[in-house]
Amino acid sequence: MTNITAGEAAIARLDTAVDAFEHILTGAEGEVIGVPNHPPQPSLATRVKTSLDALTQSPAQSAAEAAGYAEEAAESLAAAQKLTSVPFEDAPFPDVWAPLNDNLRLLAGFAPADTITVAGTSYSLPTKSMTFTRSTTATYIDKSGVLKTAAVNEPRFEREGLLIEGQSTNYVLNSNEPSLWQSNSTLTKSSIVDGTTQATTYTGTVNAATSANHQATVSSNISVNAGDTVTISGRAKASSDIVRFRFTLDGTDIANIFFNALTGAFISSTAGLTYTTSLGSDGYAYLTATYTAPSAGVVTAGVWLRGNANLAIGTVLYIQMLQVEKNPVATSYIPTGASSVTRAGERVALQPSGNVGYRTIGDAFNRALAFEVSVNKYVTPSVGYIDFVRVAGSNNDIIFRAVSSTLNSYIGGSGPSIAVTYPFASKVYVQTIDSTNTTSIYFDGKSNSRTLAPTTPSSIPTSIDIQGNSNAVFHIRNFRIWHRKLTSNQINGLR
């Protein structure tokens, strides 16, 4: 009730200020109008008459009165600004709340009780959680920057929240056994644990100054069709010169990209390659490059140490978390052995009963839903969009859809959208639906609404899903649902 009262009081102050301002404009000559929290003010007619009278007064007297009016005007403006400013309001406690900061636990909402098994017997716990599935292990960077491995069906929590990815395969063989890499004989291979990640790291030391190019390793063969993409990624540095990523198509050198080995800065590349580079505090640059095949064939990707001239003996190349994927974006590191390894896609689910806000999508209902999201990597797939958050079974209840340059939300055959540029980090997204079938979305200071009935009103929800896609990497946290309409000030105050 405190938030509602504060909002109503702010609106009342605004109405009073507007009424006083209108009275000043329309009041009769000689009339003085009361202004809330400020001395009474003369009407506009009175001010005009005073100004005309000033023409017959002495210049000094007129100047003094003009200064007084200016001071009064400034005070009036300050008072009006104070009256019309409406503070953010705290939203009420959510009906569903999963912080998704370091576990899947619900602070509010409905789900089966968590359990623990002791000596073969399962016991219920006083907590309840969202459900997470991924049929393989996966790596992640913990909040200290260290590379860690999550078990099957174990969620991965990084600094930006819960990491969600689609399926992908690493075609670099023996990625954690650098002694088995296909390096040139002019590089002496070794393995260390290094950097903030404390990851297994390949070191290749030049032992003969006979070449400007020294291959560290190359991926296994990847069969592609025209338009397929292959992405190489890893953390790399060298004591001097250049880190080179090279792609071949059917054995022919087809595309290259070059990075400064000390700073990670982009130097040059073959036309058509896309890349990212980011220098870490430990001197390693996280580098990615993506190649699009112009025709069907077999692609490989590899990493090299390169110089503008023959490299000096003792020059060292360091590489860790090296990965080559048949994918348009680089994803989290997948350790491999003698063959390629696939990491499965991920899904977080919550039961609709008691949480989604309706029995069938055609029911009249009010709902507000919010979460913090970072879309770290995104390439529009062939279908034209990715549904990151949606309600399965309901046609439609699409909460958060990423399109090439917009974010969309549907309850019917279409819905509101907001322009966006990918990637973006840590922004709050809000969707609201009211009993008139008006869907509204709020993101990055912008909003949009559309009123449209559900496509299949009788459809029944089966789960609330947060799901991965191979064309994207994203993080999500602070997932909340309210079974009511929030005020605009409450929405603006969500964090």
Side-chain angles (χ1 to χ4, degrees):
M1 294 300 295
T2 301
N3 292 330
I4 294 175
T5 302
E8 291 175 344
I11 292 172
R13 291 196 302 272
L14 177 60
D15 289 340
T16 302
V18 171
D19 290 341
F21 181 70
E22 290 179 347
H23 200 170
I24 289 172
L25 292 177
T26 60
E29 183 179 313
E31 187 175 2
V32 177
I33 295 90
V35 177
N37 300 319
H38 194 77
Q41 297 294 310
S43 66
L44 179 61
T46 303
R47 292 172 184 264
V48 170
K49 182 177 185 304
T50 303
S51 299
L52 291 173
D53 290 344
L55 294 175
T56 62
Q57 297 172 352
S58 68
Q61 182 181 1
S62 298
E65 291 185 359
Y69 290 140
E71 183 177 354
E72 288 181 3
E75 291 175 354
S76 298
L77 177 60
Q81 290 173 336
K82 184 176 180 180
L83 287 167
T84 57
S85 63
V86 181
F88 289 141
E89 299 176 39
D90 287 334
F93 193 86
D95 296 286
V96 180
W97 189 1
L100 299 179
N101 189 53
D102 55 14
N103 58 54
L104 300 172
R105 193 166 301 154
L106 291 170
L107 301 183
F110 294 88
D114 296 332
T115 60
I116 186 171
T117 300
V118 180
T121 302
S122 181
Y123 298 93
S124 295
L125 297 173
T127 59
K128 50 196 173 182
S129 301
M130 303 179 85
T131 300
F132 178 88
T133 54
R134 184 192 59 247
S135 62
T136 64
T137 62
T139 69
Y140 65 103
I141 303 298
D142 73 8
K143 295 179 183 181
S144 299
V146 178
L147 179 68
K148 295 290 180 67
T149 300
V152 172
N153 291 332
E154 178 187 351
R156 299 177 289 169
F157 294 95
E158 299 185 325
R159 289 178 180 173
E160 294 176 286
L162 175 64
L163 171 62
I164 300 291
E165 294 181 303
Q167 178 176 300
S168 193
T169 299
N170 187 3
Y171 291 90
V172 172
L173 306 186
N174 302 300
S175 64
N176 271 352
E177 292 288 343
S179 62
L180 301 177
W181 286 17
Q182 301 176 42
S183 301
N184 291 149
S185 60
T186 52
L187 290 177
T188 301
K189 294 178 286 187
S190 182
S191 176
I192 61 174
V193 174
D194 197 28
T196 57
T197 61
Q198 290 295 283
T200 301
T201 304
Y202 165 93
T203 67
T205 305
V206 176
N207 55 44
T210 58
S211 175
N213 287 280
H214 300 260
Q215 178 181 291
T217 193
V218 64
S219 72
S220 56
N221 291 338
I222 305 170
S223 296
V224 299
N225 293 316
D228 284 349
T229 52
V230 175
T231 297
I232 182 172
S233 63
R235 301 184 83 235
K237 68 178 181 179
S239 57
S240 67
D241 298 282
I242 297 164
V243 174
R244 171 193 181 192
F245 287 163
R246 185 185 80 162
F247 295 89
T248 69
L249 178 62
D250 293 334
T252 300
D253 186 341
I254 194 72
N256 289 271
I257 187 167
F258 304 94
F259 299 95
N260 183 296
L262 299 176
T263 67
F266 168 76
I267 298 175
S268 64
S269 76
T270 306
L273 288 183
T274 60
Y275 72 92
T276 67
T277 176
S278 176
L279 182 64
S281 60
D282 58 358
Y284 282 88
Y286 179 63
L287 309 172
T288 79
T290 300
Y291 166 72
T292 301
S295 60
V298 175
V299 170
T300 68
V303 59
W304 298 60
L305 177 63
R306 176 185 172 89
N308 291 315
N310 289 350
L311 288 163
I313 293 175
T315 303
V316 186
L317 171 66
Y318 303 83
I319 309 168
Q320 57 181 228
M321 300 163 56
L322 184 64
Q323 186 150 288
V324 175
E325 308 167 78
K326 188 179 177 181
N327 213 42
V329 298
T331 68
S332 61
Y333 173 55
I334 305 169
T336 66
S339 59
S340 59
V341 173
T342 297
R343 181 199 60 245
E346 296 168 307
R347 173 176 172 261
V348 183
L350 182 64
Q351 68 176 48
S353 177
N355 297 316
V356 76
Y358 55 84
R359 188 185 65 83
T360 66
I361 187 65
D363 298 339
F365 66 99
N366 293 316
R367 186 183 75 193
L369 190 152
F371 49 83
E372 182 181 339
V373 62
S374 302
V375 177
N376 310 94
K377 300 170 185 178
Y378 175 85
V379 173
T380 307
S382 57
V383 295
Y385 62 85
I386 298 174
D387 287 342
F388 288 123
V389 185
R390 68 171 298 156
V391 177
S394 292
N395 191 13
N396 282 317
D397 190 354
I398 300 169
I399 295 165
F400 184 75
R401 169 175 286 184
V403 191
S404 58
S405 58
T406 62
L407 296 177
N408 294 28
S409 181
Y410 289 7
I411 189 174
S414 63
S417 65
I418 288 177
V420 68
T421 299
Y422 305 100
F424 61 81
S426 299
K427 294 183 183 294
V428 175
Y429 177 87
V430 182
Q431 179 221 48
T432 65
I433 298 173
D434 68 21
S435 56
T436 69
N437 290 324
T438 297
T439 302
S440 302
I441 54 175
Y442 305 81
F443 180 79
D444 199 22
K446 296 170 283 190
S447 63
N448 197 2
S449 300
R450 185 166 185 183
T451 301
L452 196 65
T455 304
T456 309
S458 61
S459 57
I460 299 173
T462 55
S463 63
I464 304 172
D465 291 343
I466 303 169
Q467 53 200 2
N469 187 284
S470 296
N471 282 50
V473 175
F474 73 103
H475 292 80
I476 187 170
R477 64 181 169 196
N478 212 14
F479 183 88
R480 293 153 289 172
I481 299 174
W482 294 263
H483 296 155
R484 67 183 81 185
K485 292 181 66 173
L486 298 183
T487 69
S488 59
N489 293 324
Q490 288 170 339
I491 291 171
N492 289 338
L494 291 175
R495 294 293 180 267

